[in-house]
Amino acid sequence: MEGSDDDIDLVPLSGSQVEQFARIEQLWPEFGHSLQVLAASDGGGMGWRTVDGVEYLTRYTQENGKKKGRSLGRRSPETEAIMDEFDSTVLKARRIRRGYREDVLLTCKLAKAYGIARLHGRFAHTLDWLWYSDANKRVALFGGTALLAYESGSKTLTPVDLIKDDKLQFIAHSEDPEKIGLIEIAEACGSGREEMFVTLEDGVFEIRAEDQVVAEIYRPSYFLERCPREAMSEALEKPWLRALTFSRDTRPIELCVPDPRVYAMAAHCMRDDDGIWERRAQFAARMVRECWPDKFDRRQKAVIDSPMEDDRMRLRGP
C-alpha cells in the first residue's frame, strides 16, 4: 500500500473492554430477537375469558387509554394453537426482555465507562431503525462509523479521528433503487425532520434534509469503476458481517458492515476522494494483517498494495 501502514498504531482492547463486548454478544441473540418480535407485534395481551360457563380466547388491546377486548372464538384446538403461538412468541419475548434488561443496561453503562460506547446517538437511532426493519440486509454500513464493528473481532480500538463522520455512508447490495429501498432508508435517516430528498450525484445516492447531506449510498458499480474489476467484484459478493457496538446513550447496536478485507479494498480505492480514506485504508489493512482471523488473499493484496498512480486504479467506466 502506498505509504506504510506501520504509521498506524493498533491499540489493543483492555481486558475490561473485551469483557463487555463478550457479555453483550452473549446476551444479544435472545435479547435482540425479543426486541424485534415485540416491535412487530401490536402490543396488548391474550387470555381465556369465561362467559356463561364457556371459555373464549380474547385479545386485549389499549385504545385511548381504555382496555378493549375482542373474542377470537370458543376454546378449541384452533384457538389453543393461537394462544400457544402468542405465548411462544410475544409473551416469551416479553419475559426475555424483562429478564435481560438490567444486565444489558449494566453492560452498556460499563462499556461507556471503559470508553467503547462511541457511536453517536443520532447515528445510533438511524442504524437501530434499519436493524429493526431489516433494511440493513440491503445496505451495509461504510464510512468511519463502520470501523466500530471490527473492534470486538480484532480486539483493537479504532483511533478516534478515523470514526468521525458528518454523515452515514452505506454500500448497497444492488444497483436498483427500488431493491435498495431508498425511500425507507431516507425515512430512517430523517429522524423526525422535515421532508427528505434523494438525489444521484456522480453515481452515489445522496439523502438530503434541505441543504445537508445526511447519508450516502454507494452502488457496487462505484467501486468496480475504481478498482481492479475482477478482484472487487468477487470481494463485493462476500457475505456481510454483523457485529455489535455500543452507542453513547448506552444502547447495544447491531451493525451490518462489509468484511474488513473488503472495507480495506474499498477504502483504498477512495483515497483520491478525501484524505481521511488514506488512513482508514491503512488502518483496516494493518488490522486485518495483524488482528483479524481471515487474512487477505493474493487478489486482495494486489488491490490494497497498488499505488493510486496505477492506471487500473484510475479506470472509469466498464
Side-chain angles (χ1 to χ4, degrees):
M1 176 178 289
E2 186 179 292
S4 172
D5 53 28
D6 291 338
D7 298 335
I8 300 291
D9 291 329
L10 296 182
V11 179
L13 295 180
S14 69
S16 296
Q17 290 171 330
V18 170
E19 184 180 350
Q20 302 321 309
F21 274 121
R23 183 56 177 153
I24 200 62
E25 287 163 1
Q26 179 184 34
L27 297 169
W28 185 251
E30 285 192 276
F31 184 75
H33 179 65
S34 74
L35 296 182
Q36 287 188 315
V37 169
L38 294 175
S41 73
D42 57 2
M46 188 178 294
W48 300 104
R49 182 184 179 191
T50 302
V51 180
D52 296 331
V54 179
E55 286 187 300
Y56 294 87
L57 182 60
T58 305
R59 185 73 167 93
Y60 297 101
T61 57
Q62 291 284 335
E63 294 182 18
N64 299 321
K66 296 182 179 180
K67 186 176 181 180
K68 300 287 186 179
R70 178 171 62 89
S71 176
L72 300 181
R74 291 182 175 224
R75 186 161 197 157
S76 67
E78 290 75 18
T79 53
E80 287 180 351
I82 293 173
M83 183 63 197
D84 288 343
E85 172 71 12
F86 187 76
D87 181 73
S88 64
T89 55
V90 176
L91 295 185
K92 180 181 178 181
R94 288 175 183 171
R95 292 191 292 269
I96 291 173
R97 184 181 62 177
R98 184 169 56 250
Y100 284 29
R101 181 184 291 157
E102 291 303 318
D103 204 351
V104 168
L105 180 59
L106 175 60
T107 302
C108 291
K109 287 183 176 179
L110 289 173
K112 185 170 185 176
Y114 292 129
I116 52 175
R118 300 191 292 164
L119 177 61
H120 194 288
R122 175 167 53 88
F123 291 164
H125 176 83
T126 297
L127 296 170
D128 210 24
W129 193 98
L130 295 176
W131 171 76
Y132 268 111
S133 65
D134 275 343
N136 63 4
K137 292 180 179 178
R138 303 191 297 274
V139 292
L141 181 64
F142 192 44
T145 307
L147 291 171
L148 295 171
Y150 307 127
E151 292 186 322
S152 178
S154 65
K155 293 183 171 55
T156 59
L157 193 68
T158 308
V160 173
D161 66 304
L162 300 189
I163 61 175
K164 287 183 177 179
D165 281 326
D166 58 2
K167 57 183 173 293
L168 288 172
Q169 295 174 304
F170 301 93
I171 298 176
H173 242 323
S174 173
E175 298 286 322
D176 187 340
E178 291 188 7
K179 291 182 179 179
I180 295 172
L182 289 174
I183 295 176
E184 185 178 21
I185 294 171
E187 290 176 352
C189 294
S191 302
R193 303 185 192 204
E194 59 284 347
E195 186 177 359
M196 308 296 290
F197 302 91
V198 180
T199 59
L200 183 61
E201 298 289 340
D202 297 326
V204 180
F205 289 109
E206 294 184 346
I207 299 175
R208 296 174 173 270
E210 295 184 344
D211 294 332
Q212 180 185 8
V213 177
V214 297
E216 293 177 332
I217 301 175
Y218 294 84
R219 296 180 297 181
S221 58
Y222 182 89
F223 300 98
L224 297 178
E225 293 170 356
R226 291 167 171 253
C227 305
R229 178 175 286 271
E230 189 174 358
M232 201 64 200
S233 177
E234 182 181 279
L236 291 172
E237 291 298 321
K238 284 188 173 296
W240 288 342
L241 173 73
R242 290 184 177 271
L244 292 167
T245 191
F246 300 93
S247 66
R248 295 180 190 174
D249 55 357
T250 60
R251 286 186 292 155
I253 304 293
E254 181 177 309
L255 304 178
C256 179
V257 296
D259 182 289
R261 295 166 293 180
V262 179
Y263 182 100
M265 295 167 67
H268 180 81
C269 296
M270 291 183 65
R271 292 181 302 157
D272 59 348
D273 289 353
D274 188 333
I276 190 64
W277 286 107
E278 170 76 23
R279 283 179 48 78
R280 287 174 179 165
Q282 290 178 356
F283 173 80
R286 186 171 184 187
M287 181 266 290
V288 169
R289 285 172 170 143
E290 298 185 20
C291 305
W292 199 258
D294 301 315
K295 308 303 181 185
F296 294 112
D297 63 24
R298 178 181 57 81
R299 285 182 177 175
Q300 293 164 351
K301 286 180 181 177
V303 174
I304 64 173
D305 289 338
S306 60
M308 289 302 294
E309 287 76 12
D310 191 319
D311 287 341
R312 293 173 305 166
M313 302 303 294
R314 293 292 185 180
L315 180 65
R316 295 294 188 272

